[in-house]
Amino acid sequence: MNINGINSSATGSAFTAISSAYIAATPAATQTANSESADSQDTQDTVSISNAGRAALSADVGATLRDKASAKKNEVDNASSEEPMTLIDQQIQKIKEQIKALQEMLAKLENDDSETADQQRKMIQEQIMQLSSQIATLTEKKMREAQKKESA
């Protein structure tokens, strides 16, 4: 018996990839199907998922998981911040939210190869760079203030 409580000899064939999974009819379902149509003798159907289907599934499930993880992280961050946010911290938080919004806009333009989309990408990237430099400046200012408080 392994750590998970499953016999190690049973795990070899118990788990298969989704793309190679198959559906087997149970005896009760087979009897019902046989009574409805006598010419259906196949008791096993093979199901495969295309690459596009896999991508859509991972995007759908992945988006849900990312949203849940993000919500949990925000809750933990809000609960763990015992000190009130300073003005600098508030400014940094606002800038981070702006950067996140710009990154989402950039992701939406990812598959657009038009000239206007290219110009928009360049503008968005420049804005992200400017906001990142503002965060760096505010962080330096925050560190200087913390050093002044320690030395006083």
Side-chain angles (χ1 to χ4, degrees):
M1 184 172 282
N2 65 10
I3 294 174
N4 293 329
I6 300 173
N7 189 348
S8 61
S9 64
T11 59
S13 63
F15 301 104
T16 60
I18 277 185
S19 60
S20 64
Y22 64 92
I23 300 172
T26 60
T30 306
Q31 290 173 355
T32 307
N34 284 342
S35 66
E36 290 176 4
S37 79
D39 57 5
S40 175
Q41 297 297 324
D42 191 19
T43 60
Q44 180 176 341
D45 293 330
T46 302
V47 177
S48 62
I49 300 175
S50 68
N51 289 336
R54 285 186 193 151
L57 180 64
S58 67
D60 184 38
V61 173
T64 304
L65 292 175
R66 280 190 300 274
D67 291 344
K68 286 181 182 178
S70 176
K72 278 188 178 182
K73 182 181 178 194
N74 289 340
E75 288 176 13
V76 169
D77 287 346
N78 292 338
S80 67
S81 59
E82 297 169 4
E83 299 177 11
M85 290 184 74
T86 64
L87 180 62
I88 294 175
D89 289 333
Q90 290 174 355
Q91 290 174 338
I92 290 173
Q93 188 66 30
K94 285 180 185 177
I95 292 172
K96 284 182 180 180
E97 290 172 2
Q98 290 174 347
I99 289 175
K100 189 174 184 176
L102 288 170
Q103 287 173 338
E104 289 174 3
M105 290 172 57
L106 195 61
K108 289 179 182 177
L109 293 172
E110 187 174 296
N111 294 329
D112 191 353
D113 292 335
S114 68
E115 186 138 342
T116 57
D118 192 38
Q119 291 173 349
Q120 287 177 342
R121 277 192 290 269
K122 287 179 183 178
M123 287 176 42
I124 290 171
Q125 289 170 346
E126 288 176 10
Q127 289 176 341
I128 290 173
M129 288 175 54
Q130 290 173 351
L131 292 172
S132 296
S133 67
Q134 288 178 7
I135 287 178
T137 304
L138 289 170
T139 304
E140 288 177 21
K141 186 176 180 180
K142 183 178 175 181
M143 289 175 54
R144 278 189 244 120
E145 286 183 4
Q147 288 175 349
K148 285 180 184 178
K149 286 182 182 179
E150 288 179 8
S151 63

